[in-house]
Amino acid sequence: MARAVDKVRERLLRAAAALEAAGIPYAVVGGNAVAAWVTRVDEAAVRYTQDVDILLRPGDLDAAKLALAKAGFIYRHVKSIDMFLDGPDAKARDAVHILFAGQKVKQDDVCPAPEISESEAAPDAKFQHISLEALVRMKLTSFRDKDRVHLRDLAGVGLIDATWPARFPPQLAERLQLILDTPEG
């Protein structure tokens, strides 16, 4: 179990280092960004994730392909998902999944993915991650089971509270209020 967690962290750090070395702006999003934020408050509350999600500007994909290939990643486009497999025998779960800044992940999403400018360096984490408000917006937009769990994790450590729904469009505000009203799910 510990090795599985370590492998995801190693994949994240290797991908981030490759992008940084190539001068490609990026931001870690998804479960790893949630973990980075939760860690700031309570390390014991961190929930680990099985993959790595990275936000890139659409025009940087070709440069990212070169940079990540040098780090051992293999680019694939499968079912409308851009990903970098961690070696020739890797599965989609052993990958870095790419989301594009300023673009909707699904056509009917309420909001597009954030811009890279909505990111910051994670303290002691060795990578850029999305800002808390942008992360919450992404999680509210996706709103799958795991997104709701991540939102409850952020609320559970006090990173988001009753003042937050006012920051978002009505549909997202309603979703966040639901999370805040049902902390146990």
Side-chain angles (χ1 to χ4, degrees):
M1 181 174 70
R3 181 67 187 134
V5 171
D6 288 344
K7 284 172 72 173
V8 173
R9 176 111 176 122
E10 290 165 6
R11 185 174 305 121
L12 166 64
L13 294 176
R14 203 167 82 247
L19 293 169
E20 286 182 17
I24 300 167
Y26 73 95
V28 172
V29 295
N32 284 293
V34 172
W37 278 104
V38 169
T39 296
R40 293 181 181 197
V41 179
D42 183 359
E43 287 182 345
V46 171
R47 185 182 313 270
Y48 294 96
T49 185
Q50 64 189 4
D51 62 8
V52 176
D53 298 312
I54 291 183
L55 186 70
L56 291 176
R57 294 184 308 205
D60 289 334
L61 181 59
D62 287 338
K65 288 177 184 178
L66 295 172
L68 292 168
K70 290 179 186 175
F73 293 98
I74 300 166
Y75 174 77
R76 293 286 184 269
H77 182 85
V78 180
K79 296 181 182 177
S80 77
I81 298 171
D82 292 282
M83 69 179 76
F84 291 88
L85 299 174
D86 196 358
D89 299 323
K91 299 174 188 142
R93 288 185 183 193
D94 304 323
V96 175
H97 298 118
I98 302 300
L99 291 91
F100 292 108
Q103 294 186 357
K104 290 184 175 185
V105 176
K106 294 181 181 172
Q107 191 172 12
D108 62 343
D109 281 349
V110 176
C111 295
E115 296 297 334
I116 297 292
S117 59
E118 294 184 78
S119 66
E120 60 188 65
D124 301 325
K126 302 178 184 164
F127 58 84
Q128 284 285 118
H129 67 70
I130 202 71
S131 72
L132 183 57
E133 188 167 328
L135 176 62
V136 172
R137 189 171 63 244
M138 289 182 81
K139 292 293 176 181
L140 290 169
T141 297
S142 301
F143 216 57
R144 302 162 297 179
D145 282 345
K146 66 180 170 181
D147 298 306
R148 292 190 294 272
V149 168
H150 285 151
L151 289 162
R152 286 187 174 94
D153 289 348
L154 294 167
V157 297
L159 287 166
I160 55 177
D161 59 30
T163 65
W164 277 68
R167 299 178 186 205
F168 302 106
Q171 187 175 359
L172 299 186
E174 289 174 19
R175 290 175 180 180
L176 182 53
Q177 193 61 57
L178 174 67
I179 296 298
L180 297 172
D181 290 346
T182 57
E184 299 301 318

